[in-house]
Amino acid sequence: MDAIDRKILELLQLDAGRQIAELASEVGLSQTPCWRRIQRLKEAGVITRNVMLVDPRKVNVGVTVFVAVRTSTHTQAWFDRFKAVVDVIPEIVEFYRMSGEIDYLLRVVVPDIAAYDKVYKRLIADTELFDVSSSFAMEEIKFTTALPLSYAQ
């Protein structure tokens, strides 16, 4: 990956809907070589998908809840069941296995506390959990989907 690839990725992370002619001009290439580079980045798995970001407030899910989950069971069968439960709850938009005192961290988006309570009840109804701790985000100070590219090789 060279500086032009990194610049293409930087620009696409800001706006994946950018026209190829505009993108090519900004990175100093003609359209065909620019398009080929993008295709190569897709084939290499560097670009995994193109998405549109939606304003959560405009679709009535402006409340973000971080849910820390601890379990006393660490079997594959338990994890498979827990993952299956998480996978069918659309309000859970991120799911991480953690190191340290917390086993799993979830990011949930909902319109209000009552909606979160329904998500919480679905989560605990189908899974045996040791502890669940919910923290409501009071203010979003920084949010980006753009990854830093200075480490890319």
Side-chain angles (χ1 to χ4, degrees):
M1 183 175 306
D2 63 13
I4 293 174
D5 288 337
R6 284 191 290 277
K7 185 65 176 174
I8 289 169
L9 290 171
E10 178 185 316
L11 294 169
L12 287 175
Q13 285 188 107
L14 295 175
D15 181 5
R18 179 170 290 180
Q19 297 295 316
I20 193 72
E22 176 188 347
L23 185 61
S25 174
E26 290 187 53
V27 300
L29 294 174
S30 62
Q31 291 183 45
T32 301
C34 185
W35 181 85
R36 283 189 188 127
R37 281 177 178 258
I38 293 168
Q39 296 313 304
R40 193 174 66 242
L41 290 165
K42 287 179 179 181
E43 290 166 7
V46 175
I47 297 173
T48 58
R49 57 192 159 155
N50 298 336
V51 299
M52 294 290 182
L53 300 179
V54 177
D55 184 329
R57 291 168 300 281
K58 302 276 178 154
V59 294
N60 197 30
V61 289
V63 174
T64 298
V65 188
F66 294 95
V67 182
V69 174
R70 293 190 316 156
T71 181
S72 56
T73 307
H74 295 277
T75 65
Q76 188 63 46
W78 179 90
F79 174 76
D80 291 343
R81 178 68 187 137
F82 183 53
K83 183 179 181 309
V85 169
V86 168
D87 282 346
V88 298
I89 301 174
E91 293 88 349
I92 300 174
V93 295
E94 293 182 54
F95 175 30
Y96 300 93
R97 185 170 59 89
M98 307 295 290
S99 66
E101 293 183 26
I102 302 302
D103 295 309
Y104 300 95
L105 183 65
L106 311 174
R107 185 168 72 92
V108 178
V109 293
V110 290
D112 53 36
I113 293 172
Y116 172 68
D117 190 46
K118 291 177 185 174
V119 170
Y120 171 80
K121 288 176 180 173
R122 286 178 68 189
L123 191 63
I124 65 168
D126 294 327
T127 313
E128 187 178 319
L129 303 173
F130 176 73
D131 183 53
V132 178
S133 175
S134 305
S135 298
F136 289 78
M138 301 300 291
E139 178 182 12
E140 183 180 279
I141 297 170
K142 179 180 180 179
F143 174 83
T144 183
T145 60
L147 299 175
L149 298 172
S150 59
Y151 302 98
Q153 299 177 8

